[in-house]
Amino acid sequence: MKPSRRRRALLAAATTLALTGVGAGPAQAEPPPDAPEQIDNGDFSTGIAPWFSYGTGPLGITDGRLCATVPGGLANPWDAGIGQDGVALTAGAEYALAFDVSASPGTPVTAVLQLGSAPYTGYASVTVTAGGTAQRVERTFTVPDDNPSAQLIFQVGGSADEQTACLDNVSLRGGEPPEPYEPDTGPRVRVNQVGYLPGGPKNATVVTDATEPLPWQLRSATGAVLASGSTDARGVDPASGQNVQSIDFSAYRTPGAGLTLVADGETSHPFDISGTLYDRLRADSLQFFYAQRSGIAIDGELLGPEYARPAGHVGVAPNQGDTDVPCQPGVCDYRLDVRGGWYDAGDHGKYVVNGGIATYQLLNAFERTKTAATADGGTALGDGTLRVPERGNGVPDVLDEARWELEFLLRMQVRAGRPLAGMAHHKIHDRNWTGLPLAPQDDPQPRELHPPSTAATLNLAATAAQCARLYASYDAAFAARCRAAATTAYAAAKANPTRYASPTDSTGGGAYDDSNVTDEFYWAAVELWLTTGAPAYLSDLTASPQHTADVFHPRGFGWQGVAALGRLDLATVPNALPAAELARVRASVTAAADEYLTELDRQAYGLPLPGDAGSYVWGGNSNIINNAVVLATAFDLTGDARYRDGAVQAADYLFGRNALNISYVTGWGEHAAQNQHSRIFAHQLDPASPHPPAGSLAGGANAALQDPFAAQLLAGCAPMFCYVDDINSYATNEVAINWNSALAWIASFLADQGEAGAVPAATCAVTYTNHGTWQGGTGFTAQLTVRNTGATVVNGWTVRFAFTGDQKVREAWLAKVTQAGATVTARNESYNARINPDGTVTFGFNATTGGGANPPPGLVTVNGTRCTSS
């Protein structure tokens, strides 16, 4: 790159220090003129990334230079530094290190090329006394060891006085040019490496030059041919650039293990056909959140000894938070205790808008068990189903996990009496970016609260409203606290509707900016109405432009577009919408699902996502899953197996039926991602650090390639090939709570489908009648009438349904009624056990309630089978 006029002038004025050799050793040969450059963005023309700092003030660009304020009085040079990770070194190769450095008023600066983790082996270093005039420093050396991910650190601490240190034109030339990247795509027959449900769709993709249909065989683990047929030629797939053909072997329904598909001389990775394929994935995907917890020691007895660690960010040195955190300068004059919550992604930041959608999806996965016929009343998400410290407390474990984040979200709310009271701070994270790896308890950076935002406040309002209804039957005090926080936050957001997070506030953490919050207002109003039943919230949600808009984008929904969350809840959570309006809301879900099915059929790899580059974005795997969530919800609403099969088939892409033949979920599949970008799980950089735990979802193919590692390695990639399983690629291979929350939701749905057989027809109809309240609204009387619409006698019956909130049965008649949490179970008396065809049985009860919405239940089952409502 030709230097700018300012850069040329700076270079001409710089003092040049030429140093050779390592330490006081002999001089080394110069690298050849065409030696490759190993430093990314060394002239800072594209901003700060991927540079980070520690022990300094925020990094910034001043006159094209990277500068930071360094506090005085630091004891050692290494107590503050500016650096870059992922520097590739080749043993025995010659390198030339060069940089411009200045410091005001002046201080020694040491550049160290080293191993990026303990024991921090140094390969070369040079110290120069930097002053107000930039100096050009050059150094040649030979590297003794191979290291694909070394670290260059400029140590700027140790001065008695505060300094402003600046760098420019940083270069490290040498080593071998990178080999052209050729991903290991394995066999050309691409399958779901986990497997297929016996009654579900079974599809695979063959990469081939052939244009005519090819014969295929399904083989057992011993090589026996179980089924055969011909492929369907699909031509060139735009998303992958490959000529492909499809295999559909859905007609084969016999369970088996170690099966393979053979076509065009290739044999696929092995897979299973089983109705229990995804049972463990439900737990694995949820365990990720325990591994990401902040403010608590992680118990190796629960998660595995390699994941054990002390609590992070509880104010124990070298941590500087999160129990007493100040705001950024000029933002506020108070400090907050914001401990707890989940680390958002590969860094140690905690973001309310990302935490909001992640919390919603965990809560919604639980709430779905109240209304989905296949969910078995939530048995698989109950207490004791996860390895979390709270198991055995009588509360479903998924609610225990979600509460860890909810408590943090509540702590981010501005207290009464303060400016912007009721709003939520947008985020909290390190003042500066840190390098990899870095365990949470070892993070030395100061932590800061960032300004409150309307988007964050509405995320708090929405999730706290969910909390108020879902925790009411387990912890009334916590539910009341959530309700108060939700109503306060919503009012504060309405009073401050345009406080947007700054898109430039990205030093030390992501910006997560959003300047359109009509979707957040809609979602929050929906959740508050579903919880409280208050007419004001109904007025707000029906007046929102989002209420009649098409909120289901072909490319999926995410943290920046959450209107779909409100729509999905309106469609599924029991409520008092007029019948015609509820039908319209539900029809919008099935219409979107129909469009996703059409797209799925169009795509050669069978995913509900368009094949253009713009559809493959940062974290795009979660968008694919969220489209599958819409398909799954359409199935829950209608019982139409087409929607279930679409959601099931979408999972194939995640587990290996893709151009790279890789499972994007750690620990799942023959060839799975394991080097996701994370400071906590950094085995690729430090063998003492673990891989991400099983059930961790990689962000996935991202055609924008926003990180330098991926941009250099994958330039020109077809969209589906824009991914690399390397810890240095944060734009394609990071982990994040809102991606794993999507995985957890769909994993729970998939596990609930069992063998995915034919959907049974309803053989019962139920009428639920609320006869009204008593004692000032603190109680009500209701009855259920069940009609046998089948052709056979029912001899003995068990009716089950769930309340939406804190309703509690006090006494009942004509049935033996018990309640666990929000779930009510009624069993026949001896005298009314028999229900003849077209016969009915009725029972009633009195129940107490603290108030709020009290709609009829959305799902009533008789002997485990869903009844229609009448």
PDB file of all heavy atoms in Angstrom, residues 399-428:
ATOM      1  N   LEU A 399     -35.020 -22.729  33.730  1.00  0.00           N
ATOM      2  CA  LEU A 399     -35.365 -21.472  34.388  1.00  0.00           C
ATOM      3  C   LEU A 399     -34.264 -21.035  35.346  1.00  0.00           C
ATOM      4  O   LEU A 399     -33.991 -19.828  35.494  1.00  0.00           O
ATOM      5  CB  LEU A 399     -36.684 -21.604  35.138  1.00  0.00           C
ATOM      6  CG  LEU A 399     -37.945 -21.813  34.294  1.00  0.00           C
ATOM      7  CD1 LEU A 399     -39.189 -21.766  35.173  1.00  0.00           C
ATOM      8  CD2 LEU A 399     -38.043 -20.784  33.167  1.00  0.00           C
ATOM      9  N   ASP A 400     -33.617 -21.985  36.002  1.00  0.00           N
ATOM     10  CA  ASP A 400     -32.465 -21.635  36.839  1.00  0.00           C
ATOM     11  C   ASP A 400     -31.374 -20.977  36.002  1.00  0.00           C
ATOM     12  O   ASP A 400     -30.760 -19.985  36.416  1.00  0.00           O
ATOM     13  CB  ASP A 400     -31.902 -22.888  37.521  1.00  0.00           C
ATOM     14  CG  ASP A 400     -32.765 -23.384  38.669  1.00  0.00           C
ATOM     15  OD1 ASP A 400     -33.353 -22.546  39.375  1.00  0.00           O
ATOM     16  OD2 ASP A 400     -32.841 -24.608  38.848  1.00  0.00           O
ATOM     17  N   GLU A 401     -31.105 -21.549  34.827  1.00  0.00           N
ATOM     18  CA  GLU A 401     -30.051 -20.998  33.979  1.00  0.00           C
ATOM     19  C   GLU A 401     -30.428 -19.614  33.474  1.00  0.00           C
ATOM     20  O   GLU A 401     -29.619 -18.674  33.493  1.00  0.00           O
ATOM     21  CB  GLU A 401     -29.760 -21.938  32.809  1.00  0.00           C
ATOM     22  CG  GLU A 401     -28.517 -21.559  32.011  1.00  0.00           C
ATOM     23  CD  GLU A 401     -27.268 -21.477  32.872  1.00  0.00           C
ATOM     24  OE1 GLU A 401     -26.790 -22.519  33.333  1.00  0.00           O
ATOM     25  OE2 GLU A 401     -26.784 -20.341  33.110  1.00  0.00           O
ATOM     26  N   ALA A 402     -31.659 -19.464  33.000  1.00  0.00           N
ATOM     27  CA  ALA A 402     -32.097 -18.158  32.504  1.00  0.00           C
ATOM     28  C   ALA A 402     -32.078 -17.109  33.609  1.00  0.00           C
ATOM     29  O   ALA A 402     -31.789 -15.934  33.365  1.00  0.00           O
ATOM     30  CB  ALA A 402     -33.492 -18.271  31.907  1.00  0.00           C
ATOM     31  N   ARG A 403     -32.358 -17.532  34.836  1.00  0.00           N
ATOM     32  CA  ARG A 403     -32.363 -16.572  35.942  1.00  0.00           C
ATOM     33  C   ARG A 403     -30.989 -15.982  36.173  1.00  0.00           C
ATOM     34  O   ARG A 403     -30.876 -14.821  36.597  1.00  0.00           O
ATOM     35  CB  ARG A 403     -32.879 -17.243  37.224  1.00  0.00           C
ATOM     36  CG  ARG A 403     -32.954 -16.295  38.402  1.00  0.00           C
ATOM     37  CD  ARG A 403     -33.728 -16.873  39.560  1.00  0.00           C
ATOM     38  NE  ARG A 403     -33.747 -15.950  40.693  1.00  0.00           N
ATOM     39  CZ  ARG A 403     -34.549 -16.087  41.753  1.00  0.00           C
ATOM     40  NH1 ARG A 403     -35.392 -17.113  41.813  1.00  0.00           N
ATOM     41  NH2 ARG A 403     -34.510 -15.203  42.747  1.00  0.00           N
ATOM     42  N   TRP A 404     -29.931 -16.740  35.903  1.00  0.00           N
ATOM     43  CA  TRP A 404     -28.588 -16.195  36.097  1.00  0.00           C
ATOM     44  C   TRP A 404     -28.387 -14.938  35.255  1.00  0.00           C
ATOM     45  O   TRP A 404     -27.762 -13.968  35.696  1.00  0.00           O
ATOM     46  CB  TRP A 404     -27.537 -17.252  35.762  1.00  0.00           C
ATOM     47  CG  TRP A 404     -26.187 -16.859  36.258  1.00  0.00           C
ATOM     48  CD1 TRP A 404     -25.170 -16.313  35.522  1.00  0.00           C
ATOM     49  CD2 TRP A 404     -25.710 -16.935  37.606  1.00  0.00           C
ATOM     50  NE1 TRP A 404     -24.094 -16.048  36.331  1.00  0.00           N
ATOM     51  CE2 TRP A 404     -24.394 -16.418  37.617  1.00  0.00           C
ATOM     52  CE3 TRP A 404     -26.271 -17.392  38.793  1.00  0.00           C
ATOM     53  CZ2 TRP A 404     -23.633 -16.357  38.775  1.00  0.00           C
ATOM     54  CZ3 TRP A 404     -25.510 -17.320  39.954  1.00  0.00           C
ATOM     55  CH2 TRP A 404     -24.212 -16.812  39.929  1.00  0.00           C
ATOM     56  N   GLU A 405     -28.934 -14.944  34.047  1.00  0.00           N
ATOM     57  CA  GLU A 405     -28.843 -13.760  33.190  1.00  0.00           C
ATOM     58  C   GLU A 405     -29.877 -12.719  33.589  1.00  0.00           C
ATOM     59  O   GLU A 405     -29.586 -11.513  33.551  1.00  0.00           O
ATOM     60  CB  GLU A 405     -29.028 -14.153  31.729  1.00  0.00           C
ATOM     61  CG  GLU A 405     -28.966 -12.991  30.740  1.00  0.00           C
ATOM     62  CD  GLU A 405     -27.578 -12.419  30.514  1.00  0.00           C
ATOM     63  OE1 GLU A 405     -26.604 -12.947  31.082  1.00  0.00           O
ATOM     64  OE2 GLU A 405     -27.450 -11.436  29.756  1.00  0.00           O
ATOM     65  N   LEU A 406     -31.069 -13.146  33.947  1.00  0.00           N
ATOM     66  CA  LEU A 406     -32.100 -12.178  34.342  1.00  0.00           C
ATOM     67  C   LEU A 406     -31.649 -11.332  35.526  1.00  0.00           C
ATOM     68  O   LEU A 406     -31.888 -10.113  35.558  1.00  0.00           O
ATOM     69  CB  LEU A 406     -33.386 -12.922  34.704  1.00  0.00           C
ATOM     70  CG  LEU A 406     -34.266 -13.369  33.536  1.00  0.00           C
ATOM     71  CD1 LEU A 406     -35.293 -14.383  34.013  1.00  0.00           C
ATOM     72  CD2 LEU A 406     -34.948 -12.162  32.884  1.00  0.00           C
ATOM     73  N   GLU A 407     -30.993 -11.950  36.484  1.00  0.00           N
ATOM     74  CA  GLU A 407     -30.506 -11.192  37.638  1.00  0.00           C
ATOM     75  C   GLU A 407     -29.529 -10.110  37.200  1.00  0.00           C
ATOM     76  O   GLU A 407     -29.542  -8.983  37.713  1.00  0.00           O
ATOM     77  CB  GLU A 407     -29.836 -12.133  38.646  1.00  0.00           C
ATOM     78  CG  GLU A 407     -30.777 -13.138  39.309  1.00  0.00           C
ATOM     79  CD  GLU A 407     -31.495 -12.565  40.509  1.00  0.00           C
ATOM     80  OE1 GLU A 407     -31.442 -11.334  40.717  1.00  0.00           O
ATOM     81  OE2 GLU A 407     -32.115 -13.360  41.249  1.00  0.00           O
ATOM     82  N   PHE A 408     -28.678 -10.451  36.229  1.00  0.00           N
ATOM     83  CA  PHE A 408     -27.748  -9.449  35.704  1.00  0.00           C
ATOM     84  C   PHE A 408     -28.501  -8.334  34.983  1.00  0.00           C
ATOM     85  O   PHE A 408     -28.206  -7.138  35.170  1.00  0.00           O
ATOM     86  CB  PHE A 408     -26.751 -10.110  34.754  1.00  0.00           C
ATOM     87  CG  PHE A 408     -26.106  -9.159  33.787  1.00  0.00           C
ATOM     88  CD1 PHE A 408     -25.172  -8.235  34.217  1.00  0.00           C
ATOM     89  CD2 PHE A 408     -26.454  -9.156  32.434  1.00  0.00           C
ATOM     90  CE1 PHE A 408     -24.580  -7.324  33.335  1.00  0.00           C
ATOM     91  CE2 PHE A 408     -25.875  -8.267  31.551  1.00  0.00           C
ATOM     92  CZ  PHE A 408     -24.943  -7.347  31.995  1.00  0.00           C
ATOM     93  N   LEU A 409     -29.471  -8.685  34.150  1.00  0.00           N
ATOM     94  CA  LEU A 409     -30.230  -7.672  33.419  1.00  0.00           C
ATOM     95  C   LEU A 409     -30.919  -6.715  34.385  1.00  0.00           C
ATOM     96  O   LEU A 409     -30.949  -5.492  34.152  1.00  0.00           O
ATOM     97  CB  LEU A 409     -31.254  -8.348  32.509  1.00  0.00           C
ATOM     98  CG  LEU A 409     -30.702  -9.226  31.388  1.00  0.00           C
ATOM     99  CD1 LEU A 409     -31.838  -9.904  30.629  1.00  0.00           C
ATOM    100  CD2 LEU A 409     -29.826  -8.429  30.431  1.00  0.00           C
ATOM    101  N   LEU A 410     -31.463  -7.236  35.463  1.00  0.00           N
ATOM    102  CA  LEU A 410     -32.115  -6.378  36.454  1.00  0.00           C
ATOM    103  C   LEU A 410     -31.111  -5.434  37.114  1.00  0.00           C
ATOM    104  O   LEU A 410     -31.444  -4.276  37.427  1.00  0.00           O
ATOM    105  CB  LEU A 410     -32.795  -7.240  37.517  1.00  0.00           C
ATOM    106  CG  LEU A 410     -33.979  -8.098  37.044  1.00  0.00           C
ATOM    107  CD1 LEU A 410     -34.417  -9.044  38.150  1.00  0.00           C
ATOM    108  CD2 LEU A 410     -35.136  -7.225  36.599  1.00  0.00           C
ATOM    109  N   ARG A 411     -29.886  -5.899  37.321  1.00  0.00           N
ATOM    110  CA  ARG A 411     -28.867  -5.051  37.949  1.00  0.00           C
ATOM    111  C   ARG A 411     -28.420  -3.922  37.016  1.00  0.00           C
ATOM    112  O   ARG A 411     -27.853  -2.924  37.482  1.00  0.00           O
ATOM    113  CB  ARG A 411     -27.658  -5.886  38.355  1.00  0.00           C
ATOM    114  CG  ARG A 411     -27.930  -6.878  39.478  1.00  0.00           C
ATOM    115  CD  ARG A 411     -26.665  -7.605  39.907  1.00  0.00           C
ATOM    116  NE  ARG A 411     -26.956  -8.612  40.927  1.00  0.00           N
ATOM    117  CZ  ARG A 411     -26.896  -9.924  40.740  1.00  0.00           C
ATOM    118  NH1 ARG A 411     -26.493 -10.401  39.564  1.00  0.00           N
ATOM    119  NH2 ARG A 411     -27.192 -10.763  41.705  1.00  0.00           N
ATOM    120  N   MET A 412     -28.644  -4.072  35.730  1.00  0.00           N
ATOM    121  CA  MET A 412     -28.229  -3.036  34.762  1.00  0.00           C
ATOM    122  C   MET A 412     -29.227  -1.881  34.694  1.00  0.00           C
ATOM    123  O   MET A 412     -29.003  -0.906  33.976  1.00  0.00           O
ATOM    124  CB  MET A 412     -28.070  -3.661  33.385  1.00  0.00           C
ATOM    125  CG  MET A 412     -26.891  -4.621  33.261  1.00  0.00           C
ATOM    126  SD  MET A 412     -25.277  -3.803  33.300  1.00  0.00           S
ATOM    127  CE  MET A 412     -25.146  -3.222  31.601  1.00  0.00           C
ATOM    128  N   GLN A 413     -30.322  -1.956  35.435  1.00  0.00           N
ATOM    129  CA  GLN A 413     -31.333  -0.905  35.413  1.00  0.00           C
ATOM    130  C   GLN A 413     -30.918   0.267  36.292  1.00  0.00           C
ATOM    131  O   GLN A 413     -30.426   0.082  37.421  1.00  0.00           O
ATOM    132  CB  GLN A 413     -32.676  -1.463  35.875  1.00  0.00           C
ATOM    133  CG  GLN A 413     -33.852  -0.524  35.655  1.00  0.00           C
ATOM    134  CD  GLN A 413     -35.182  -1.235  35.833  1.00  0.00           C
ATOM    135  OE1 GLN A 413     -35.311  -2.154  36.639  1.00  0.00           O
ATOM    136  NE2 GLN A 413     -36.190  -0.807  35.071  1.00  0.00           N
ATOM    137  N   VAL A 414     -31.098   1.478  35.784  1.00  0.00           N
ATOM    138  CA  VAL A 414     -30.762   2.686  36.536  1.00  0.00           C
ATOM    139  C   VAL A 414     -31.731   2.829  37.703  1.00  0.00           C
ATOM    140  O   VAL A 414     -32.953   2.719  37.544  1.00  0.00           O
ATOM    141  CB  VAL A 414     -30.827   3.929  35.633  1.00  0.00           C
ATOM    142  CG1 VAL A 414     -30.494   5.192  36.440  1.00  0.00           C
ATOM    143  CG2 VAL A 414     -29.874   3.784  34.456  1.00  0.00           C
ATOM    144  N   ARG A 415     -31.179   3.076  38.890  1.00  0.00           N
ATOM    145  CA  ARG A 415     -31.987   3.128  40.098  1.00  0.00           C
ATOM    146  C   ARG A 415     -32.842   4.398  40.170  1.00  0.00           C
ATOM    147  O   ARG A 415     -32.523   5.428  39.578  1.00  0.00           O
ATOM    148  CB  ARG A 415     -31.089   3.045  41.343  1.00  0.00           C
ATOM    149  CG  ARG A 415     -30.166   1.842  41.366  1.00  0.00           C
ATOM    150  CD  ARG A 415     -30.939   0.518  41.426  1.00  0.00           C
ATOM    151  NE  ARG A 415     -30.036  -0.619  41.467  1.00  0.00           N
ATOM    152  CZ  ARG A 415     -29.769  -1.402  40.429  1.00  0.00           C
ATOM    153  NH1 ARG A 415     -30.319  -1.171  39.262  1.00  0.00           N
ATOM    154  NH2 ARG A 415     -28.937  -2.424  40.552  1.00  0.00           N
ATOM    155  N   ALA A 416     -33.912   4.317  40.954  1.00  0.00           N
ATOM    156  CA  ALA A 416     -34.784   5.473  41.169  1.00  0.00           C
ATOM    157  C   ALA A 416     -33.980   6.634  41.753  1.00  0.00           C
ATOM    158  O   ALA A 416     -33.070   6.437  42.561  1.00  0.00           O
ATOM    159  CB  ALA A 416     -35.928   5.091  42.110  1.00  0.00           C
ATOM    160  N   GLY A 417     -34.327   7.826  41.349  1.00  0.00           N
ATOM    161  CA  GLY A 417     -33.652   9.020  41.834  1.00  0.00           C
ATOM    162  C   GLY A 417     -32.453   9.441  41.016  1.00  0.00           C
ATOM    163  O   GLY A 417     -31.920  10.529  41.228  1.00  0.00           O
ATOM    164  N   ARG A 418     -32.029   8.579  40.084  1.00  0.00           N
ATOM    165  CA  ARG A 418     -30.906   8.905  39.210  1.00  0.00           C
ATOM    166  C   ARG A 418     -31.424   9.414  37.869  1.00  0.00           C
ATOM    167  O   ARG A 418     -32.556   9.122  37.482  1.00  0.00           O
ATOM    168  CB  ARG A 418     -30.040   7.664  38.972  1.00  0.00           C
ATOM    169  CG  ARG A 418     -29.420   7.067  40.226  1.00  0.00           C
ATOM    170  CD  ARG A 418     -28.300   7.931  40.757  1.00  0.00           C
ATOM    171  NE  ARG A 418     -27.561   7.276  41.834  1.00  0.00           N
ATOM    172  CZ  ARG A 418     -26.539   7.845  42.467  1.00  0.00           C
ATOM    173  NH1 ARG A 418     -26.149   9.063  42.131  1.00  0.00           N
ATOM    174  NH2 ARG A 418     -25.909   7.206  43.435  1.00  0.00           N
ATOM    175  N   PRO A 419     -30.608  10.179  37.142  1.00  0.00           N
ATOM    176  CA  PRO A 419     -31.014  10.546  35.782  1.00  0.00           C
ATOM    177  C   PRO A 419     -31.292   9.301  34.949  1.00  0.00           C
ATOM    178  O   PRO A 419     -30.584   8.294  35.057  1.00  0.00           O
ATOM    179  CB  PRO A 419     -29.797  11.312  35.253  1.00  0.00           C
ATOM    180  CG  PRO A 419     -29.110  11.821  36.476  1.00  0.00           C
ATOM    181  CD  PRO A 419     -29.319  10.777  37.534  1.00  0.00           C
ATOM    182  N   LEU A 420     -32.356   9.332  34.160  1.00  0.00           N
ATOM    183  CA  LEU A 420     -32.776   8.216  33.307  1.00  0.00           C
ATOM    184  C   LEU A 420     -33.165   6.992  34.126  1.00  0.00           C
ATOM    185  O   LEU A 420     -33.001   5.849  33.688  1.00  0.00           O
ATOM    186  CB  LEU A 420     -31.695   7.852  32.284  1.00  0.00           C
ATOM    187  CG  LEU A 420     -31.219   8.977  31.358  1.00  0.00           C
ATOM    188  CD1 LEU A 420     -30.120   8.467  30.431  1.00  0.00           C
ATOM    189  CD2 LEU A 420     -32.385   9.530  30.557  1.00  0.00           C
ATOM    190  N   ALA A 421     -33.693   7.222  35.311  1.00  0.00           N
ATOM    191  CA  ALA A 421     -34.119   6.113  36.170  1.00  0.00           C
ATOM    192  C   ALA A 421     -35.065   5.192  35.419  1.00  0.00           C
ATOM    193  O   ALA A 421     -35.958   5.640  34.693  1.00  0.00           O
ATOM    194  CB  ALA A 421     -34.795   6.650  37.424  1.00  0.00           C
ATOM    195  N   GLY A 422     -34.865   3.899  35.595  1.00  0.00           N
ATOM    196  CA  GLY A 422     -35.695   2.897  34.950  1.00  0.00           C
ATOM    197  C   GLY A 422     -35.136   2.371  33.657  1.00  0.00           C
ATOM    198  O   GLY A 422     -35.529   1.293  33.200  1.00  0.00           O
ATOM    199  N   MET A 423     -34.240   3.127  33.020  1.00  0.00           N
ATOM    200  CA  MET A 423     -33.620   2.645  31.794  1.00  0.00           C
ATOM    201  C   MET A 423     -32.520   1.636  32.131  1.00  0.00           C
ATOM    202  O   MET A 423     -32.114   1.501  33.294  1.00  0.00           O
ATOM    203  CB  MET A 423     -33.058   3.800  30.968  1.00  0.00           C
ATOM    204  CG  MET A 423     -34.102   4.772  30.461  1.00  0.00           C
ATOM    205  SD  MET A 423     -33.477   5.824  29.129  1.00  0.00           S
ATOM    206  CE  MET A 423     -33.483   4.689  27.741  1.00  0.00           C
ATOM    207  N   ALA A 424     -32.043   0.951  31.129  1.00  0.00           N
ATOM    208  CA  ALA A 424     -30.991  -0.047  31.331  1.00  0.00           C
ATOM    209  C   ALA A 424     -29.728   0.382  30.606  1.00  0.00           C
ATOM    210  O   ALA A 424     -29.784   0.832  29.444  1.00  0.00           O
ATOM    211  CB  ALA A 424     -31.443  -1.410  30.819  1.00  0.00           C
ATOM    212  N   HIS A 425     -28.595   0.244  31.286  1.00  0.00           N
ATOM    213  CA  HIS A 425     -27.317   0.485  30.617  1.00  0.00           C
ATOM    214  C   HIS A 425     -27.158  -0.518  29.480  1.00  0.00           C
ATOM    215  O   HIS A 425     -27.515  -1.693  29.605  1.00  0.00           O
ATOM    216  CB  HIS A 425     -26.169   0.354  31.619  1.00  0.00           C
ATOM    217  CG  HIS A 425     -26.073   1.510  32.549  1.00  0.00           C
ATOM    218  ND1 HIS A 425     -25.383   2.662  32.235  1.00  0.00           N
ATOM    219  CD2 HIS A 425     -26.596   1.708  33.786  1.00  0.00           C
ATOM    220  CE1 HIS A 425     -25.469   3.525  33.237  1.00  0.00           C
ATOM    221  NE2 HIS A 425     -26.212   2.976  34.193  1.00  0.00           N
ATOM    222  N   HIS A 426     -26.619  -0.045  28.387  1.00  0.00           N
ATOM    223  CA  HIS A 426     -26.555  -0.861  27.173  1.00  0.00           C
ATOM    224  C   HIS A 426     -25.636  -2.066  27.333  1.00  0.00           C
ATOM    225  O   HIS A 426     -25.946  -3.154  26.855  1.00  0.00           O
ATOM    226  CB  HIS A 426     -26.077   0.002  26.004  1.00  0.00           C
ATOM    227  CG  HIS A 426     -26.305  -0.610  24.660  1.00  0.00           C
ATOM    228  ND1 HIS A 426     -27.553  -0.725  24.095  1.00  0.00           N
ATOM    229  CD2 HIS A 426     -25.440  -1.150  23.765  1.00  0.00           C
ATOM    230  CE1 HIS A 426     -27.453  -1.307  22.913  1.00  0.00           C
ATOM    231  NE2 HIS A 426     -26.184  -1.569  22.687  1.00  0.00           N
ATOM    232  N   LYS A 427     -24.513  -1.861  28.045  1.00  0.00           N
ATOM    233  CA  LYS A 427     -23.527  -2.937  28.127  1.00  0.00           C
ATOM    234  C   LYS A 427     -22.510  -2.608  29.210  1.00  0.00           C
ATOM    235  O   LYS A 427     -22.403  -1.473  29.677  1.00  0.00           O
ATOM    236  CB  LYS A 427     -22.815  -3.125  26.788  1.00  0.00           C
ATOM    237  CG  LYS A 427     -22.145  -1.858  26.240  1.00  0.00           C
ATOM    238  CD  LYS A 427     -21.485  -2.102  24.889  1.00  0.00           C
ATOM    239  CE  LYS A 427     -20.782  -0.847  24.387  1.00  0.00           C
ATOM    240  NZ  LYS A 427     -19.948  -1.091  23.204  1.00  0.00           N
ATOM    241  N   ILE A 428     -21.726  -3.625  29.559  1.00  0.00           N
ATOM    242  CA  ILE A 428     -20.552  -3.465  30.425  1.00  0.00           C
ATOM    243  C   ILE A 428     -19.464  -4.353  29.860  1.00  0.00           C
ATOM    244  O   ILE A 428     -19.709  -5.523  29.538  1.00  0.00           O
ATOM    245  CB  ILE A 428     -20.850  -3.851  31.885  1.00  0.00           C
ATOM    246  CG1 ILE A 428     -19.541  -3.834  32.662  1.00  0.00           C
ATOM    247  CG2 ILE A 428     -21.581  -5.146  31.980  1.00  0.00           C
ATOM    248  CD1 ILE A 428     -19.454  -4.735  33.850  1.00  0.00           C
TER     249      ILE A 428
END
